[in-house]
Amino acid sequence: MKQFIEQIKKLLPANQIIEDEMLRYAYSTDASMYRMVPQLIILVTQEYDVIKIIELASLHDAKLTFRAAGTSLSGQAVTDQILVILDNNSWQNFQISENGNQITLEPGIIGAQANRYLKKFKRKIGPDPASISTAKIGGIIANNSSGMCCGTAQNSYATIASIRAVLADGSIFDSSNSAQNIIFAQTNQELIANIRHLRHQINADLELSNFIRKKFAIKNTSGYSLNSFLDYDDTIKIVEHLLIGSEGTLGFVSQVTFNTVADEPYKALNLVFGSLKTLCDLTIKISQYQVAAVELLDACSLRSVAHIKELQPYLPISITDDTAAIMIEISSTEQVELQNKVDKLQEIISHTEIISESNFTQDLDLIDTLWKARKGVLPTVAGQRPLGSSVLIEDVAVMIHDLPTLIDDLQKMFKRYNYTNAAIFGHVLAGNIHFVLTPNFTVEQELSDYDKFMQEFTDLVAIKYQGSLKAEHGSGRNIAPFALVEWGQQCWDIMWRIKELFDPQNIFNPDVKLTRDNTLHMHNLKQLPAVDPQIDACMECGFCEPVCPSRKISLTPRQRNTIARHLPTLTPQQQKIWQKKFQYYGIETCATTGMCQTVCPVQINTGEYILSCRSPKSQKINHARQIRIARRKISKANLLAHFIGRRTLQNITQKLHTHFKSIPVYLETMPDVNPALPIPNKNAPVILVPSCPNRIFASDHGYGRYPSRVLLERMGYSISFPNDFENVCCGQMYHSQANQKQQAIIQNKLQTITTQAQITLIDNSSCANFAKQSGINVMDINQFIVDRLIRSNIIRRYNKLAVHIDCSSAKNTFNDNFMTILRLCAYEIIIPEDIKCC
């Protein structure tokens, strides 16, 4: 390892190599129940990096584990060796071809983003994991992830067109290039010959072939894709499909091309309540009608999401232990066809003994809300676990007619092992269910019980029901010890042969997928100690990471929570060292926008927690003085730009900023400074409190110094400004600095102003919402305009408008009424999907 580290430092820039102890611990977490601290972390930006790393690892027998987003649930993305992570700023290239029927993607693209690229073609990628808004293509391919609707017909294995990967000898496999395939076959004759031999062995054994076909007739991600030997004659296609679902144990996938599937625009969804047996029987009855998805939620799952306000009107008055629900979604390319499906299914449901139903809705916002409730069950159940306990999720599949008895058997096991808060949910149409347990791995008895449970669970699913121990989450460290039980000696030996052919030195993710350590599932279990009520519910799922403003600079909310939990366990000396580093990586670089809360299924606001960690700043800081300083700096910068050119100054400051972060970048679009203070009008019924940015910057659209004032006056309102204008603000700046004393002083002034007029407006959503949350009677100007603007007075002036929804509006106020106003102003509204923070 020491030699590898010395050599890799000569090959890659320092900013791609992480050795720091605290940062390595931050990256030790993924969404699974395991934690392993890597000895080294490497951020890769291009395929060439990966080739060099693999070649060097082969030379020094170093072990590599690849990670994309880290949302995997079975421990396949953690290691105590070398963790290779996709750099957040790279791996984003894509190409759409065949009029949207194919899309080529690099592994760093988030699944939901790929679907947004395809939206205008009314297409989408086939895989649809619940984590699709966070999971990256590299992980989706590596785990053969599926989800709510795709089943086995539209998962990665079924929809792959081609794949490009770096193999263990550093060579490139690219199934999209027929010429390169010929060269690959010639230079890898031993691999190709052995693949052919394995194919012949499997096809010649009727009993073995039938067993494999049966195993893959349902969802299955346990072990390697042995079905590829039956599905394909071409050895290149077999290699291609073996890489899918291999969890980074056979190669590094650097590019993939999917055959896309139709994204049918017309959808309807029904939420039906009844007993588990009734709902499973109902699923079998309706499965012949091209149902897109049927999602099961047991009583515990329903209770876990019962707090969601939008869901409450559709829930039964009481949820007993026998209550369950299924979400039935159907879709179509035509409205008439959709309605026909609704009528047929409604007729079947009407002859079923159910408790209640929501009836089919075609309201896309409501459908989205119901799906969010379902997708959030895992983290929500995890968030309600007893303090200090961990989170275990299992993922099994059986033939659909076996589901009711399997669930009954599992529930009896839960009682025997005292897993009282176990929740069952999943994709019942595919015979695929998940269950969540929350054992406390700090208690010796619970550790022992977990091991016994896993042994009994394996026998139940793999032997009694001939099912899959992992249906879509990948086997990882969690199920690898039980692959032999599920597959038997013959298949297990074939899988080991595959591993040896692709990775003879076992440098790729050892012990994942296959292991000879039948106690592996008991090692490196993650502990989640309670440290603060604001973050204790976090299960480290990573859903928060894509919206975090600092994710490309320092740490993400998940990583901040991880370190915060670990700090109290350190020695005083270690704590001192880590706390000093955490001050920058965890506290100072957190934007505290709370955007993490908008996507967190249990609504954790890590930003608010970080604010509580900040030490109070000097009581002498004054926002009015800060505004005056900012105005002077911008005036001087603009003056310099006048002489040397705006673009030139931007280029100079950009270069300086890369070396000296305290020097800001001057943008060539920098506006002028707002030159003067407004004059109060004591008789006006509306007081306008401009936010700090609007006091600093002048409008460049010719609407006066305060465009919001112009707009309000056009709406017929007489506007005034506060007395002592410079010393009035919402107090958010002081809150961000943990300066509670100054915050109280400034907010008392603002509170006094609200008594001087009928209405007090603030022209920035963030400031207005912060003041309102502090109990001050102010309104956000945007909400005020939306509520009071006369629609008929609006003239549509623009073809397109791009709209940035700021953090506060996204969390508190933005809704369909805003969009209604915007659509009266322009024919098309563009909301950039990837810009979550200014």
Side-chain angles (χ1 to χ4, degrees):
M1 179 64 73
K2 184 179 179 181
Q3 290 175 325
F4 175 88
I5 293 173
E6 288 175 358
Q7 291 297 313
I8 202 68
K9 287 179 179 179
K10 297 175 183 178
L11 288 174
L12 297 177
N15 62 0
Q16 288 181 234
I17 299 170
I18 298 174
E19 291 185 275
D20 179 79
E21 183 184 23
M22 188 194 77
L23 295 181
R24 286 189 289 111
Y25 191 86
Y27 282 97
S28 71
T29 192
D30 69 355
S32 76
M33 56 191 280
Y34 299 94
R35 186 187 310 285
M36 300 176 78
V37 182
Q39 295 181 48
L40 186 73
I41 297 166
I42 304 174
L43 306 178
V44 289
T45 63
Q46 56 185 327
E47 190 179 73
Y48 178 78
D49 292 348
V50 179
I51 293 170
K52 291 302 176 186
I53 292 166
I54 290 173
E55 289 176 347
L56 198 59
S58 298
L59 186 64
H60 296 289
D61 193 30
K63 311 302 182 185
L64 306 174
T65 293
F66 305 118
R67 181 189 291 176
T71 56
S72 52
L73 295 160
S74 304
Q76 56 267 60
V78 294
T79 181
D80 58 3
Q81 298 289 310
I82 300 163
L83 185 62
V84 180
I85 300 180
L86 300 178
D87 178 69
N88 273 324
N89 294 298
S90 309
W91 307 99
Q92 297 296 309
N93 293 323
F94 73 97
Q95 182 178 352
I96 297 173
S97 55
E98 304 292 329
N99 199 31
N101 288 316
Q102 284 193 344
I103 185 168
T104 300
L105 300 157
E106 286 193 327
I109 294 173
I110 291 173
Q113 183 61 61
N115 285 339
R116 287 193 283 271
Y117 296 148
L118 291 164
K119 190 172 184 179
K120 65 180 178 181
F121 298 99
K122 297 181 180 178
R123 308 287 294 178
K124 62 182 180 178
I125 60 172
D128 62 340
S131 58
I132 195 167
S133 295
T134 306
K136 295 179 179 178
I137 294 299
I140 290 172
I141 284 287
N143 293 298
N144 193 20
S145 305
S146 50
M148 319 293 176
C149 304
C150 76
T152 57
Q154 295 182 348
N155 62 12
S156 297
Y157 181 93
T159 58
I160 196 78
S162 66
I163 200 166
R164 182 179 172 93
V166 185
L167 302 184
D169 60 357
S171 65
I172 299 294
F173 170 80
D174 187 349
S175 61
S176 70
N177 189 324
S178 56
Q180 191 167 344
N181 289 338
I182 296 171
I183 297 171
F184 180 84
Q186 291 172 345
T187 54
N188 294 271
Q189 292 182 21
E190 184 179 356
L191 172 64
I192 296 299
N194 277 283
I195 293 293
R196 286 175 181 154
H197 174 74
L198 288 174
R199 182 183 175 279
H200 175 74
Q201 177 186 343
I202 291 170
N203 280 271
D205 188 329
L206 184 61
E207 184 179 353
L208 176 60
S209 297
N210 288 338
F211 175 72
I212 292 171
R213 286 192 178 94
K214 184 179 179 182
K215 291 293 291 178
F216 287 100
I218 57 177
K219 285 185 175 183
N220 190 341
T221 58
S222 175
Y224 292 122
S225 303
L226 297 185
N227 50 333
S228 60
F229 292 101
L230 298 171
D231 294 339
Y232 299 97
D233 298 328
D234 183 0
T235 50
I236 294 296
K237 298 302 288 183
I238 294 172
V239 170
E240 174 186 87
H241 284 77
L242 283 172
L243 287 165
I244 299 168
S246 63
E247 299 174 33
T249 63
L250 303 182
F252 173 91
V253 176
S254 58
Q255 183 178 282
V256 62
T257 299
F258 282 114
N259 292 314
T260 61
V261 300
D263 185 14
E264 296 177 316
Y266 298 99
K267 295 178 172 64
L269 187 142
N270 194 357
L271 188 58
V272 183
F273 298 89
S275 69
L276 273 168
K277 178 68 167 65
T278 298
L279 297 178
C280 286
D281 290 344
L282 176 59
T283 301
I284 294 171
K285 290 177 184 176
I286 66 175
S287 60
Q288 60 184 300
Y289 292 99
Q290 295 179 313
V291 178
V294 180
E295 288 296 300
L296 172 73
L297 297 98
D298 76 344
C300 187
S301 301
L302 289 170
R303 292 189 190 109
S304 76
V305 295
H307 66 281
I308 300 175
K309 188 176 180 181
E310 296 88 348
L311 187 63
Q312 290 169 355
Y314 305 98
L315 296 175
I317 295 173
S318 65
I319 300 173
T320 67
D321 290 343
D322 296 326
T323 306
I326 54 173
M327 290 170 52
I328 306 169
E329 181 172 285
I330 52 177
S331 59
S332 178
T333 55
E334 301 291 340
Q335 177 65 47
V336 174
E337 183 186 6
L338 181 73
Q339 191 58 52
N340 288 338
K341 286 185 180 181
V342 167
D343 294 341
K344 287 177 183 176
L345 295 181
Q346 204 68 66
E347 175 68 17
I348 296 170
I349 294 169
S350 68
H351 290 93
T352 305
E353 292 185 16
I354 62 172
I355 297 172
S356 63
E357 63 174 315
S358 66
N359 294 312
F360 279 99
T361 177
Q362 297 181 40
D363 182 332
L364 294 179
D365 288 334
L366 177 57
I367 289 173
D368 186 52
T369 296
L370 294 174
W371 272 119
K372 283 179 181 176
R374 159 58 191 91
K375 292 177 180 180
V377 168
L378 164 60
T380 305
V381 171
Q384 296 172 1
R385 70 191 184 279
L387 287 179
S389 61
S390 297
V391 183
L392 160 69
I393 179 168
E394 288 301 344
D395 157 42
V396 304
V398 295
M399 299 302 291
I400 188 172
H401 56 75
D402 287 330
L403 261 185
T405 53
L406 169 68
I407 291 171
D408 184 57
D409 285 342
L410 283 171
Q411 289 176 330
K412 289 175 182 175
M413 284 181 63
F414 297 157
K415 288 180 182 177
R416 283 201 302 277
Y417 287 94
N418 200 31
Y419 293 138
T420 54
N421 60 342
I424 295 175
F425 54 95
H427 324 309
V428 63
L429 193 63
N432 173 205
I433 58 166
H434 312 305
F435 60 87
V436 182
L437 309 177
T438 56
N440 190 330
F441 291 135
T442 63
V443 179
E444 193 65 35
Q445 185 60 50
E446 293 203 36
L447 264 175
S448 175
D449 286 346
Y450 163 64
D451 187 28
K452 292 174 185 175
F453 175 86
M454 287 301 296
Q455 306 291 342
E456 188 176 338
F457 155 75
T458 298
D459 290 342
L460 176 70
V461 175
I463 297 175
K464 180 177 179 179
Y465 289 102
Q466 294 291 295
S468 307
L469 288 174
K470 282 294 180 184
E472 58 179 6
H473 292 168
S475 45
R477 301 175 174 278
N478 184 213
I479 291 299
F482 306 101
L484 178 58
V485 177
E486 177 175 352
W487 285 98
Q489 190 71 49
Q490 189 177 11
C491 287
W492 198 65
D493 288 343
I494 291 172
M495 289 180 185
W496 270 111
R497 183 63 182 141
I498 291 167
K499 172 66 171 172
E500 290 160 1
L501 287 171
F502 278 83
D503 182 18
Q505 290 181 255
N506 194 26
I507 63 168
F508 288 157
N509 222 356
D511 280 330
V512 168
K513 274 299 187 191
L514 298 173
T515 183
R516 292 186 169 89
D517 180 358
N518 59 14
T519 66
L520 186 76
H521 62 293
M522 298 295 293
H523 305 324
N524 304 298
L525 292 166
K526 183 192 289 182
Q527 296 180 8
L528 300 175
V531 290
D532 191 287
Q534 294 180 91
I535 62 169
D536 284 342
C538 176
M539 69 155 283
E540 302 178 5
C541 67
F543 281 19
C544 56
E545 293 190 332
V547 300
C548 176
S550 65
R551 70 190 184 279
K552 298 181 180 182
I553 301 168
S554 53
L555 297 178
T556 67
R558 166 167 66 173
Q559 292 172 329
R560 288 184 170 94
N561 296 347
T562 296
I563 293 176
R565 283 173 164 155
H566 192 56
L567 277 169
T569 69
L570 300 174
T571 64
Q573 184 61 31
Q574 284 178 308
Q575 267 191 32
K576 186 176 180 181
I577 296 169
W578 280 42
Q579 195 67 58
K580 185 176 181 180
K581 294 175 184 175
F582 191 63
Q583 184 64 32
Y584 169 77
Y585 286 102
I587 297 174
E588 292 177 6
T589 53
C590 178
T592 67
T593 62
M595 283 301 290
C596 45
Q597 186 179 37
T598 66
V599 291
C600 175
V602 288
Q603 298 185 314
I604 293 170
N605 188 337
T606 300
E608 199 64 37
Y609 167 70
I610 292 298
L611 277 174
S612 71
C613 298
R614 287 182 174 167
S615 302
K617 299 292 182 182
S618 168
Q619 304 297 324
K620 296 179 181 179
I621 292 175
N622 179 278
H623 87 283
R625 181 170 176 270
Q626 296 296 317
I627 289 172
R628 288 194 294 271
I629 291 170
R631 286 161 59 121
R632 284 199 297 270
K633 286 181 178 179
I634 293 166
S635 293
K636 291 176 181 178
N638 283 341
L639 181 63
L640 178 59
H642 175 75
F643 290 104
I644 70 172
R646 286 174 170 265
R647 173 59 66 88
T648 302
L649 185 55
Q650 176 172 316
N651 292 338
I652 291 171
T653 54
Q654 183 76 63
K655 289 177 182 177
L656 288 171
H657 180 74
T658 59
H659 300 288
F660 308 100
K661 296 301 180 185
S662 60
I663 298 177
V665 178
Y666 177 92
L667 299 176
E668 63 174 325
T669 53
M670 184 70 73
D672 292 330
V673 170
N674 200 339
L677 302 177
I679 300 171
N681 174 6
K682 292 184 179 180
N683 298 318
V686 177
I687 290 182
L688 176 63
V689 182
S691 59
C692 297
N694 288 333
R695 300 182 200 190
I696 296 170
F697 300 113
S699 167
D700 58 354
H701 293 291
Y703 295 138
R705 297 184 182 114
Y706 295 97
S708 50
R709 176 181 186 173
V710 177
L711 178 56
L712 291 166
E713 288 175 344
R714 286 184 182 178
M715 289 172 65
Y717 293 95
S718 178
I719 304 301
S720 180
F721 292 89
N723 293 315
D724 195 18
F725 174 82
E726 282 191 289
N727 292 307
V728 177
C729 87
C730 68
Q732 188 165 198
M733 184 187 90
Y734 299 109
H735 179 72
S736 298
Q737 296 172 332
N739 190 336
Q740 296 175 352
K741 182 178 178 181
Q742 197 66 30
Q743 178 186 338
I745 293 170
I746 209 78
Q747 287 189 330
N748 285 337
K749 287 186 178 182
L750 182 59
Q751 184 74 276
T752 302
I753 286 166
T754 63
T755 64
Q756 299 171 4
Q758 297 174 22
I759 299 167
T760 303
L761 299 176
I762 298 182
D763 64 359
N764 180 286
S765 297
S766 178
C767 301
N769 285 315
F770 178 78
K772 282 192 289 184
Q773 289 164 5
S774 302
I776 302 172
N777 185 25
V778 298
M779 278 191 74
D780 170 16
I781 192 171
N782 300 299
Q783 188 68 59
F784 181 84
I785 292 168
V786 166
D787 291 345
R788 307 196 184 205
L789 191 61
I790 299 171
R791 308 308 200 245
S792 59
N793 288 351
I794 300 175
I795 299 170
R796 185 174 279 143
R797 289 186 54 190
Y798 303 102
N799 287 324
K800 291 184 181 182
L801 280 178
V803 179
H804 170 62
I805 306 167
D806 64 65
C807 304
S808 183
S809 295
K811 288 189 294 181
N812 299 297
T813 56
F814 195 84
N815 55 43
D816 287 342
N817 292 329
F818 282 70
M819 292 301 296
T820 300
I821 296 291
L822 290 167
R823 289 190 183 106
L824 292 174
C825 300
Y827 291 99
E828 186 178 357
I829 305 299
I830 308 295
I831 299 178
E833 291 283 354
D834 290 336
I835 304 175
K836 303 298 182 184
C837 176
C838 65

